[in-house]
Amino acid sequence: MASHSRRRPHRKRRTALVLAIAMAAVGVLLSLVMALRPDSEPNAVRAAAEPAAGNRSSAPAAAPEQKAEPSPKHKPKPSKASKASPTPTATTPSARPSPTGAPRSSPRPASGTAPLAGRIQPQVTYKGVATHYDAADGDGACLYGPSPDLMVAAMNHTDYETSKACGAYILVRAANGASVTVRITNECPLPCAPGQLDLSKEAFAKLAGLSAGRIPVTWSLLSPGTSDTVSIRYKTGSSSHWCGIQALGHRNPLARVEVRTGSGWSRLTRTEYNYFLSPAGTGCGGPLRLTDIYGEQLTVEGVAIRPDVKQSTRVQFARH
């Protein structure tokens, strides 16, 4: 009995030991299995790797390199010539004269810019037709009066632009290579189309026979050399209560006429008959300021109110 009682505890200890060894073996085996698995990274390492892996998997394949289209504000601005309408017709009086484009050999110099120009811009070649009329003594809608120089022309109604073309010197070229320089002294009313010039017979004959009647031409604005100075003339009926003022002999087209008042310079209203009016007589008989399309200003003083008398000055606009 004593021996039996001794053997039983020994068997229990051995069973417990076997179980402990088995449990340890299973633990070791599980550890080995876990260590050998590919996704057995520690949580901290796996968490750090997942964002980068996610970025790589979600990024689209790189597209072929392309040039980005410039934003509208960086696109080349069209030149004034390109803004003009196509070949003008009598049914589109609002169209600009059709330009053939400015010279491409060099950019327009700063001295050639004309911020106050209207429809007719310098250094732009326009396309139109030329007809002819009997200029008689050379006078016309610009009211410059008779002139022995009959190299004159009438500008179509649209490009006449309320007498803004008056006094402009225009170089006209025909398809045969012939050319003539004319001064705008008249207006060609509708249906004269934008771009059209109605030349005196004398000027037209420099380009083609009068029998041709109508020929295609190109033309451009000039700033000619001249020894003459600007003259001022008050309109008939002018006084200190009302006056009309006209400038003659200006090298470049005239943009503004102003009179000096107590508060500064006052701009006068331009008429279709090429006079600038002061309906209340403000500034009549006082200093004048003339501005051409290039922005140059000339101040003229001491011109008395002498209606219908051409009074010379000592000033002239610069050549461009």
Side-chain angles (χ1 to χ4, degrees):
M1 292 297 291
S3 60
H4 178 73
S5 61
R6 272 191 226 158
R7 289 170 59 188
R8 190 171 183 180
H10 179 71
R11 188 181 300 120
K12 288 183 178 179
R13 287 196 297 272
R14 187 173 58 185
T15 302
L17 180 61
V18 170
L19 289 175
I21 292 172
M23 291 294 291
V26 171
V28 171
L29 181 62
L30 289 175
S31 298
L32 290 174
V33 171
M34 292 297 293
L36 294 175
R37 289 182 60 183
D39 59 346
S40 60
E41 300 173 298
N43 288 341
V45 175
R46 187 180 304 163
E50 281 176 355
N55 287 344
R56 286 195 299 270
S57 62
S58 61
E65 184 178 357
Q66 297 179 354
K67 288 186 177 181
E69 184 178 354
S71 61
K73 67 178 181 180
H74 291 146
K75 288 183 179 178
K77 293 183 179 180
S79 64
K80 291 187 182 298
S82 65
K83 289 183 180 179
S85 301
T87 304
T89 63
T91 57
T92 57
S94 61
R96 286 183 181 270
S98 177
T100 60
R104 298 181 182 179
S105 58
S106 61
R108 179 181 298 178
S111 61
T113 59
L116 300 180
R119 296 176 56 83
I120 302 173
Q121 297 285 331
Q123 298 191 16
V124 176
T125 300
Y126 296 96
K127 182 171 60 177
V129 298
T131 51
H132 60 78
Y133 75 108
D134 185 0
D137 59 4
D139 197 7
C142 296
L143 296 186
Y144 287 130
S147 170
D149 181 10
L150 294 182
M151 293 296 108
V152 296
M155 182 62 72
N156 68 82
H157 170 77
T158 307
D159 299 325
Y160 182 77
E161 201 174 4
T162 315
S163 78
K164 199 163 190 175
C166 285
Y169 288 88
I170 302 294
L171 175 63
V172 189
R173 295 185 182 275
N176 61 9
S179 64
V180 64
T181 297
V182 296
R183 185 169 59 104
I184 302 301
T185 62
N186 208 348
E187 176 187 7
C188 184
L190 294 173
C192 278
Q196 183 174 347
L197 294 172
D198 203 20
L199 306 178
S200 67
K201 290 181 179 180
E202 292 78 4
F204 190 94
K206 300 285 186 179
L207 304 178
L210 296 181
S211 60
R214 180 185 181 95
I215 60 172
V217 295
T218 58
W219 54 271
S220 56
L221 182 66
L222 290 182
S223 179
T226 178
S227 59
D228 294 337
T229 58
V230 177
S231 296
I232 300 296
R233 181 164 57 197
Y234 279 92
K235 197 175 187 311
T236 302
S238 293
S239 68
S240 58
H241 305 290
W242 176 96
C243 67
I245 303 172
Q246 182 185 58
L248 307 89
H250 42 86
R251 174 185 275 124
N252 306 316
L254 200 59
R256 297 173 182 166
V257 171
E258 299 166 286
V259 293
R260 183 179 291 166
T261 67
S263 58
W265 291 101
S266 177
R267 184 175 175 179
L268 302 184
T269 302
R270 189 171 207 154
T271 67
E272 292 188 354
Y273 52 88
N274 197 33
Y275 273 88
F276 293 79
L277 301 184
S278 178
T282 303
C284 293
L288 306 176
R289 187 166 71 179
L290 314 179
T291 306
D292 70 2
I293 62 172
Y294 298 97
E296 183 181 359
Q297 296 181 329
L298 303 176
T299 301
V300 181
E301 300 191 23
V303 182
I305 302 176
R306 298 172 60 191
D308 207 26
V309 175
K310 183 178 176 181
Q311 303 183 63
S312 298
T313 71
R314 297 180 180 180
V315 296
Q316 180 59 274
F317 292 113
R319 189 176 185 183
H320 291 265

